[in-house]
Amino acid sequence: MSYLGDVFQSLKWFTMYDLILLAINMIVLIWYAVPIQRYMRWFDFLPSMGLLVAIASVLSGDTSLLAIVLYVMTAILFLCTFKKIYKPVYRIAVPKHRIIRAVLCLAGVIPLIIVWMIAGEVRFNPVSHFSEMSYSQAFVKLNERLSKEYPFGDWKKIDWREMENKYEPLFIKAEQEKNKDLYYKTLRTYLFSLRDGHVKIMNEKLYDDNPVFKQEVGGSVGISTIQLDQGKVYVNLLVAGSPADKSGIQLGAEILSWDGRDVQEAYQSTYWSENPMATEGDQLNNQGRFMTRMAIGKDIEVAYKNKGDHEIKKATLKAYDDHYETLKKTNVKLVKTDAPVEGKVLSNGYGYVKIRYLLPSEAIAHPDKALGDILNGFQEKQIKGLIIDVRDNPGGSDDLVAAMAGYLVNKPKLYEYVSYYSRMTGKFEINTSETRTIQPAEPYYGGKLAIIINQRTGSSGEGLPILAKGLPNVQIVGFTSTNGSFGVVSNPIQVEMPEGYVLQFPDGRSLNADKAIQGDSDDQGKGGAIPDIRIPLNEQTFEQKVVLGQDVELNYAIQALENMK
């Protein structure tokens, strides 16, 4: 599509009020910039009409950046011309400062053109105010909006009518019983059923003052678990001095039964987590973290077998308030004081780069340039191959991903198209001005490359492995796929619900060269960047990683590079 075509495509991101204001402001500015000699009385009222349209737009709730620029320009033009409403000038006089007026008018056109070009990203996406409704009414309205605007409804094969039929009776029950806890848990279950890591309750504050969370999973016996590929459940975290530790349970112990149930049954029935679990790998990880959480003071019967033991032991453990210690220790959080990018040459001659997050920090304002400097140093040392580690990377900026990827390509490569819901057309449309293409950058690295991922590699953090997958010199290495939450959150859908909950949803989707959704999990929980080399989670790798503290993924990445020709 031509550049001119892209410009006109941007009109689909305006509201009808925006279009009218843009047209009025453009006409008035160009009219006064050009020495028009013919007088038209109706033209004197055009800025006033613009002001009325702006007021109507404000009353409709449009306070987007795009609209504000149009409001300001409309107000300025009205103030500069309102005298002509009651004091018309029937003879067109040549202004004394014609050139200055022309320059000022043409300068006024510039911000209008800018908002025109960035309309896709700053478009009107109203906050839905459902907080004064009943639980069920608010839910129905929420479900109705998402059925039109949620970017992955079709991709995840969501039957919105079925969702309404399933959850509306629960919300009705909660309002009839005035049960705030049931309302909260039902709302949470509905949101988590979307399996999208970008869906969240913005003001949930799980660790701070959430009574339901505290009541149900505030207690711990001092362990966390993980399920191996063959189904066995092992202890992968043990808190010193905890009830589990005092009872004799050791790190690496196999749990056989939990709270009177077979451990696999207890594991699979666990539903709590901090965020929606988009993929199977993410779900299994969180179920292991939360299976061992319960109400404070509850007694739990556990059957277990320590490593090397042949006999099964049993213990009754009382849950204590650990202030969510096991959850915090097993949930890596972004620390902005850590450098976003660091690199070193390993003792075996391979270059290693850790990309923790995709945002600038106080110490590193341009992480993409920092990566370039690291690669320059690697080339001087003639590294044997490159390992990029994006484990636990929560994302950040897609533009930064594209800039970093420039060092890995020798010709332009599409990163993504981005599509949003258009209120003008009522469909998802590609925002052409936001299409990202990776441009080659120096220093170019075209050698052997391994990228390490895990289930906590999320959002923009998934970009590098997604775009690199399939290249002949690249191997993606990990126990699981990435998080499968690659949606765009530029101007998110926000909804205010009863009891003060504020919900947020992604507003856009990333599309590949075929204009198909990429990165986000589907209805089967499959998505993200899938490893080329999937590390088995068995007794051997568990022992190496958890008990011996080895970096199993790094070792596999090194072996992958060794095996490349």
Side-chain angles (χ1 to χ4, degrees), residues 429-449:
E429 306 276 4
I430 290 177
N431 179 26
T432 52
S433 65
E434 205 173 342
T435 298
R436 293 181 174 89
T437 302
I438 302 167
Q439 298 296 335
E442 293 294 333
Y444 166 63
Y445 178 79
K448 298 186 294 184
L449 172 63

Side-chain angles (χ1 to χ4, degrees), residues 389-419:
D389 185 352
V390 290
R391 285 175 292 180
D392 306 317
N393 186 317
S397 166
D398 278 324
D399 291 328
L400 188 52
V401 179
M404 288 181 166
Y407 301 117
L408 307 178
V409 298
N410 56 9
K411 59 182 179 181
K413 177 181 174 63
L414 178 77
Y415 177 66
E416 65 179 351
Y417 297 108
V418 178
S419 71

Side-chain angles (χ1 to χ4, degrees), residues 150 152-159 193-197 278 484-485 517 520-525:
Y150 177 62
F152 306 107
D154 293 339
W155 178 250
K156 295 176 182 286
K157 298 180 182 178
I158 298 173
D159 186 329
S193 71
L194 301 181
R195 302 196 71 161
D196 185 337
S485 300
I517 290 174
D520 274 82
S521 64
D522 59 17
D523 59 309
Q524 300 298 315

Side-chain angles (χ1 to χ4, degrees), residues 41-82:
R41 175 59 174 156
W42 63 266
F43 186 79
D44 293 339
F45 295 94
L46 201 56
S48 301
M49 291 174 57
L51 187 64
L52 293 175
V53 172
I55 292 172
S57 183
V58 171
L59 293 176
S60 74
D62 190 353
T63 56
S64 62
L65 175 62
L66 184 154
I68 290 173
V69 172
L70 294 174
Y71 299 158
V72 170
M73 190 59 62
T74 300
I76 291 173
L77 293 179
F78 173 77
L79 292 174
C80 291
T81 62
F82 79 96

Side-chain angles (χ1 to χ4, degrees), residues 144-267:
E144 180 183 353
R145 179 174 181 184
L146 293 181
S147 70
K148 299 175 183 176
E149 300 179 34
Y150 177 62
F152 306 107
D154 293 339
W155 178 250
K156 295 176 182 286
K157 298 180 182 178
I158 298 173
D159 186 329
W160 297 103
R161 179 59 60 121
E162 182 181 328
M163 295 280 270
E164 181 176 334
N165 293 338
K166 178 179 180 179
Y167 289 102
E168 186 181 13
L170 297 175
F171 283 106
I172 291 175
K173 180 181 179 181
E175 65 193 25
Q176 289 175 342
E177 297 177 358
K178 298 182 180 180
N179 189 334
K180 295 181 180 180
D181 291 352
L182 176 60
Y183 160 69
Y184 166 66
K185 289 196 287 185
T186 303
L187 178 63
R188 210 171 190 274
T189 303
Y190 167 76
L191 298 177
F192 279 45
S193 71
L194 301 181
R195 302 196 71 161
D196 185 337
H198 282 130
V199 173
K200 60 183 67 177
I201 302 176
M202 297 295 291
N203 53 348
E204 195 171 22
K205 298 180 180 178
L206 290 178
Y207 292 169
D208 296 333
D209 58 355
N210 188 307
V212 178
F213 191 72
K214 185 78 172 180
Q215 179 181 349
E216 297 205 1
V217 293
S220 168
V221 295
I223 62 172
S224 188
T225 59
I226 188 69
Q227 187 178 66
L228 307 190
D229 292 341
Q230 64 269 47
K232 292 183 178 181
V233 176
Y234 280 27
V235 174
N236 64 345
L237 173 70
L238 177 67
V239 177
S242 65
D245 183 36
K246 292 177 180 178
S247 74
I249 295 177
Q250 299 173 2
L251 185 67
E254 180 184 358
I255 303 298
L256 301 171
S257 69
W258 185 265
D259 196 20
R261 293 189 293 170
D262 178 80
V263 70
Q264 281 79 23
E265 179 188 346
Y267 201 101

